[in-house]
Amino acid sequence: MARAGVTRARVVETAARLADEQGAGALTLAAVADELGVRTPSLYKHVAGLPALRLLVAVRAKRELAACLSAATVGRSRLDALRALSAAYRTWAAEHPASAAAAQSAPVPDDEDDQVASAALVELVYGVLSGYGLTGDALVDATRTLRAGLSGWVALESSGAFGLDRPVTESVEWWLTGLDRALDAPQPPAPRSHHTNA
């Protein structure tokens, strides 16, 4: 019997904390069980196995990140919103490195919770970019660009790759200012197809 108080939520929370503290590779059912003071087989009452646990950690990460970014950007728009989003994401990712990586995973097609959590994150970014009047493909392109940029900053910072004598925050501000100008520029028309019916 699992120790009283051990729930699926506690199992997932413990797994996320262990991964953030020790690295995603250190996440095992045995490590989580040891942390909770139960035997490993007891965890199967709460999760189907390690892959299922990793998915639950990813869903938790997406929800937590969405809540963090939403709180940071509420009432803000355009460059002000980009700055707030960037600062909140970089801070959260530095404190939760494994969760930040898990939050970037594509949603599992047949998992409704993952689909909903992933969609909420995308919609949040759409909301931040809505002040630029982007729609359709341009909005998707802008969202991917922002996501890729932020993920890149986090990955390089966490690995200690920025060794030049200039604060990273200044470089991030330079990037965001340029991104703001690009998003504010008139969007080019979609490329025309070169296919013919000949």
Side-chain angles (χ1 to χ4, degrees), residues 6-185:
V6 176
T7 62
R8 171 181 280 202
R10 277 197 65 201
V11 170
V12 176
E13 178 184 1
T14 300
R17 178 173 53 78
L18 286 174
D20 285 332
E21 291 175 353
Q22 302 176 21
L27 177 57
T28 64
L29 292 180
V32 174
D34 184 62
E35 188 73 12
L36 292 170
V38 299
R39 298 179 60 196
T40 300
S42 298
L43 294 184
Y44 287 95
K45 296 181 179 182
H46 306 288
V47 295
L50 185 58
L53 179 57
R54 291 189 184 278
L55 176 57
L56 290 169
V57 168
V59 172
R60 180 183 187 275
K62 292 172 184 180
R63 289 172 175 164
E64 188 174 308
L65 178 57
C68 172
L69 299 183
S70 178
T73 57
V74 64
R76 302 175 184 272
S77 63
R78 298 171 68 89
L79 181 55
D80 187 35
L82 291 178
R83 286 170 172 154
L85 181 81
S86 170
Y89 177 70
R90 289 171 56 235
T91 298
W92 182 83
E95 296 171 353
H96 307 88
S99 293
Q104 298 303 321
S105 62
V108 175
D110 59 352
D111 190 282
E112 183 177 355
D113 288 341
D114 196 17
Q115 291 281 337
V116 171
S118 298
L121 260 180
V122 172
E123 288 300 322
L124 190 147
V125 177
Y126 280 177
V128 167
L129 295 171
S130 65
Y132 293 98
L134 302 175
T135 59
D137 290 346
L139 181 58
V140 173
D141 292 341
T143 299
R144 287 175 172 170
T145 299
L146 180 59
R147 177 184 176 189
L150 288 173
S151 298
W153 287 109
V154 166
L156 291 169
E157 281 186 274
S158 66
S159 65
F162 294 128
L164 298 179
D165 187 21
R166 176 170 170 78
V168 174
T169 53
E170 296 296 327
S171 297
V172 171
E173 174 63 18
W174 181 89
W175 170 63
L176 290 174
T177 302
L179 181 60
D180 172 68
R181 286 196 295 265
L183 293 173
D184 200 34

